[in-house]
Structure formats: C-alpha cells, structure tokens
C-alpha cells in the first residue's frame, strides 16, 4: 500500500487522494483508506529517515533550517485541528488546519523535512472532538513556536546548519528568539513592520543635566527605515535568478527590539531588506538576528532569500506530490498522508 500511495502521489492523477489513487492503480479503496487513515504504522520514524537522507545528500555546514506554519482551508468542524485561526497564507483568520513545517535549504536544493499539526487551545481541551479524531492522549496544547522547537530538537543534529530562519509569525515572538539563543542557535527571523526598536548605533539625544540621561526613543521599524538616507543602503547580488541576477539592498543596525509588547533584554541586529517593485515602489522586509557583529551583509542576504525557499517547497509539494489533496479527518491519517507526501516530494 505504501508503494501504491507513493506512486499515486508522484503520478499525473489530478486529485491525489485515496479514491483517485485507488482507481488509478485498480486497488480496493477501503484497503487503501485503512492504510492511510487507521493502520498502525509509525510516520515519525519515516520522517526521521527522511531527515537523515536530506542531511546526508544536501548537508552543508552553513545550511539553513526554515520554520513556517502553513494552512489548509477546510469547511466544518470535524476534521482534526480545524478551527477559525490565523492563516498566514490567506493573511486573515479563517477556518483551516495549520501544520508547522521544517524545511532544509542548501545551495544546491531545498526540501520539506518534517511537520506537526497544530491544535488550538479549544481543540486541545475538547475531549469529545479529540476522541473522535483520534488525537493521542499525550498530545497537549503547544504553541506553533513550541512545535518548531520540538522539530529543531529532534532533527537539529541530523541536519547540518548554521542558521534558523522563519517568517514574521515566527520572529515576532521574543520568547522564541530567547529559546533559540538558549540553544546557542544563530537566527535571522522576519518581524512585522510595526515592531518597535531602539537604535543603539545613533548618538543619544542631548543631555541637559537633570534626571536620567535620555536614550533614543523606540520607533516602528517601517517608519525608521523609510527615513534612512540613500547612503545607508548596500546593493547585493544574492543569486542568479531566471531573469538574471537577483538584487536586493540591505542595511543593519544594533537595536533593542520590542515585539508582542515585550522588550528584549538582549541586543540584536536589525536587518532591513528592500527591493524595487514593478511600479517603482520599494518593498521592505525586516528581520532580527543574534549573529556576530562581523557577519557580512551578503551572508544575511543569503539567509533572507533562503527563508523564501520554503514557499517553493510548498508549491512543489502541493502541485507535484499531493500535499494538500488529503481527505482524511483524523490525527493519524493527516500525519500519514503528510509524511508520504514529503517523501514523494523528496
């Protein structure tokens, strides 16, 4: 059944679900449904082997681990984990399932490595729905950041890397960045445009001799970056794209950052990247890093572009390996399908 299902995920079948795959390979639909949705085989062991192969084939000492919560729009309330929750892909709160994914990005290739379904607090404490969806008893509520850290702890030694990166949903958590520092991991994490920072590289305001000496005020990174002079930016050729060299402009500054209404006690480096759009406006992206001060801007830019590679992984998985074509409703079936789809994509 595993070979049949993988062949189906790799085939040209339009909808790569159990019914279509069973029909394509003249198999009994119920047997294949049981294999994906109910059979007792360990998907975590397969993902561990997948991580080992990816690390062996693509591993680089300065590889990049990318974390990204990705959503699958769903109707109703019965499918495991479905809830009205934030969907970064849709840019709004909607009815969906969310998986927290880990990808490995090297210079030669990139691949999805692991995934875990996110359960909201409401789902995690709903005993009736948990039982119906087959959620294991040991599974408790965990934030998306906690799920990412669990994937890191499980595969970090298998996947050679120097960097951790992720989108602004991952980077906005000061606790997540603190936990990465505690693990001695080096990160470049995107943050929202309304993140506030204190510029530590600019001189403090004049002191007039009463009270505490003034400090630079906290201000939003988008407003701070918009006021920078042209001389602050460095142009970088990141890689060769299909339309020629991919060029970004970047700058950096030492800051204290305040995200999620929580001020970091540690200095970080703020990175701002900008690229000219077709309408001649600038698109800016903001990130925080704990990398050493002497890290070249070109290296930051490489990791910045690596963060976007996970979108290519999702596109490949969904268009070529049926990542989003499942019709299972329970915990076991969701992770079984996802695991086989990651293997098919690899």
């Amino acid at each position: 059944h595993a070979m049949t299902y993988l062949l189906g995920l790799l085939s040209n079948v339009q909808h790569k679900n159990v019914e279509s795959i069973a029909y394509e390979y003249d198999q009994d639909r119920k047997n294949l449904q049981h294999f994906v949705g109910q059979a007792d085989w360990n998907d975590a062991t397969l993902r561990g082997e997948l991580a080992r192969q990816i690390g062996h084939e693509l591993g680089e000492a300065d590889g990049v681990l990318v974390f990204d919560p990705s959503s699958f729009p769903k109707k109703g309330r019965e499918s495991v984990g479905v809830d009205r929750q934030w969907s970064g892909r849709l840019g709004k709160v909607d009815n969906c399932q969310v998986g927290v994914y880990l990808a490995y990005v090297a210079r030669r290739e990139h691949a999805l490595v692991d995934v875990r379904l996110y359960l909201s607090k409401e789902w995690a404490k709903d005993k009736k729905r948990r039982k119906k969806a087959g959620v294991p008893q040991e599974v408790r509520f965990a934030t998306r950041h906690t799920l990412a850290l669990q994937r890191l702890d499980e595969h970090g030694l298998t996947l050679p890397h120097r960097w951790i990166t992720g989108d602004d949903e991952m980077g906005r958590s000061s606790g997540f960045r603190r936990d990465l520092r505690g693990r001695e991991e080096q990160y470049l994490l995107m943050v929202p445009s309304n993140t506030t920072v204190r510029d530590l590289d600019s001189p403090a305001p004049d002191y007039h001799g009463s009270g505490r000496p003034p400090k630079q005020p906290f201000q939003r990174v988008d407003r701070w970056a918009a006021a920078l002079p042209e001389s602050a930016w460095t142009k970088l050729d990141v890689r060769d794209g299909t339309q020629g060299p991919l060029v970004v402009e970047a700058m950096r500054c030492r800051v204290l950052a305040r995200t999620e209404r929580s001020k970091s006690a540690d200095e970080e480096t703020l990175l701002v990247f900008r690229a000219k759009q077709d309408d001649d406006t600038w698109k800016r992206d903001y990130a925080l890093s704990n990398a050493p001060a002497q890290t070249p801007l070109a290296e930051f830019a490489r990791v910045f572009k690596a963060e976007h590679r996970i979108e290519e992984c999702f596109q490949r998985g969904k268009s070529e390996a049926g990542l989003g074509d499942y019709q299972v409703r329970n915990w076991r079936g969701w992770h079984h399908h996802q695991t086989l789809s990651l293997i098919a994509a690899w």
Side-chain angles (χ1 to χ4, degrees):
H1 290 315
M3 182 61 73
T4 298
Y5 204 70
L6 280 171
L7 287 172
L9 293 172
L10 290 166
S11 72
N12 292 323
V13 172
Q14 185 175 3
H15 300 293
K16 298 179 180 182
N17 51 48
V18 167
E19 188 170 354
S20 297
I21 293 173
Y23 181 81
E24 177 74 10
Y25 292 95
D26 195 25
Q27 298 287 318
D28 186 299
R29 175 176 56 85
K30 291 184 179 179
N31 287 342
L32 203 58
Q33 281 179 332
H34 181 269
F35 166 72
V36 176
Q38 284 85 40
D40 186 15
W41 52 271
N42 193 330
D43 49 270
T45 300
L46 286 185
R47 294 194 303 275
E49 170 62 14
L50 175 63
R52 189 197 66 78
Q53 288 191 23
I54 291 172
H56 177 73
E57 294 290 334
L58 301 183
E60 298 173 346
D62 59 354
V64 182
L65 301 186
V66 188
F67 291 105
D68 192 359
S70 185
S71 62
F72 300 87
K74 293 289 178 181
K75 296 180 180 179
R77 299 178 70 253
E78 298 304 314
S79 294
V80 63
V82 168
D83 210 343
R84 286 192 59 78
Q85 54 192 325
W86 174 255
S87 167
R89 197 159 304 282
L90 299 174
K92 63 179 181 179
V93 173
D94 207 345
N95 217 50
C96 60
Q97 290 170 305
V98 174
V100 177
Y101 289 83
L102 164 63
Y104 186 75
V105 179
R107 289 171 177 80
R108 184 161 62 91
E109 254 295 352
H110 40 277
L112 293 174
V113 179
D114 199 3
V115 63
R116 184 66 175 268
L117 182 67
Y118 168 75
L119 292 183
S120 66
K121 287 183 179 180
E122 289 71 22
W123 246 100
K125 67 183 181 182
D126 191 328
K127 294 182 180 179
K128 184 177 180 180
R129 283 204 293 177
R130 285 176 61 107
K131 184 176 181 181
K132 188 173 182 179
V135 178
Q137 289 188 353
E138 64 271 17
V139 173
R140 297 289 183 264
F141 170 74
T143 67
R144 301 178 186 192
H145 297 92
T146 297
L147 294 179
L149 290 170
Q150 290 171 355
R151 309 280 76 71
L152 173 62
D153 292 343
E154 186 171 353
H155 302 300
L157 294 178
T158 307
L159 299 167
H161 67 280
R162 184 175 297 161
W163 291 93
I164 306 289
T165 188
D167 66 6
D168 60 7
E169 182 177 352
M170 302 305 298
R172 74 170 69 229
S173 170
S174 57
F176 182 60
R177 304 197 311 275
R178 179 197 64 230
D179 290 339
L180 289 176
R181 291 194 295 271
R183 287 167 167 79
E184 297 185 343
E185 295 283 355
Q186 183 171 275
Y187 60 79
L188 177 74
L189 291 164
M190 311 311 295
V191 292
S193 61
N194 63 356
T195 299
T196 57
V197 296
R198 170 176 286 155
D199 182 346
L200 299 179
D201 286 339
S202 295
D206 292 337
Y207 179 51
H208 299 293
S210 69
R212 293 182 178 180
K215 298 179 180 179
Q216 284 288 340
F218 278 91
Q219 53 185 317
R220 285 175 54 126
V221 291
D222 53 354
R223 296 169 185 167
W224 179 84
L228 292 172
E230 286 299 311
S231 59
W233 300 94
T234 300
K235 185 176 292 187
L236 301 163
D237 291 341
V238 182
R239 63 177 172 84
D240 287 337
T242 56
Q243 304 299 322
L246 184 64
V247 176
V248 299
E249 295 185 6
M251 65 76 55
R252 63 177 161 191
C253 177
R254 291 185 310 116
V255 299
L256 286 178
R258 184 184 287 145
T259 56
E260 291 185 326
R261 295 173 293 180
S262 175
K263 184 175 70 174
S264 174
D266 295 275
E267 290 185 12
E268 295 173 282
T269 299
L270 169 68
L271 283 304
V272 184
F273 303 94
R274 71 177 189 177
K276 186 66 74 71
Q277 304 300 289
D278 292 338
D279 61 359
D280 282 339
T281 60
W282 292 103
K283 179 183 183 297
R284 295 184 180 90
D285 293 281
Y286 313 95
L288 291 171
S289 178
N290 65 332
Q294 64 271 23
T295 303
L297 264 180
E299 176 68 355
F300 283 122
R302 178 183 75 88
V303 180
F304 166 66
K305 300 311 297 183
E307 190 271 329
H308 295 282
R309 286 287 194 267
I310 198 168
E311 295 302 326
E312 297 175 18
C313 291
F314 288 136
Q315 183 179 6
R316 178 185 297 169
K318 291 180 179 180
S319 64
E320 299 180 27
L323 190 68
D325 288 346
Y326 56 88
Q327 292 181 332
V328 292
R329 289 189 169 186
N330 62 29
W331 176 273
R332 178 176 287 178
W334 192 90
H335 286 90
H336 280 181
H337 172 87
Q338 291 283 313
T339 298
L340 292 170
S341 182
L342 297 189
I343 293 171
W346 170 239

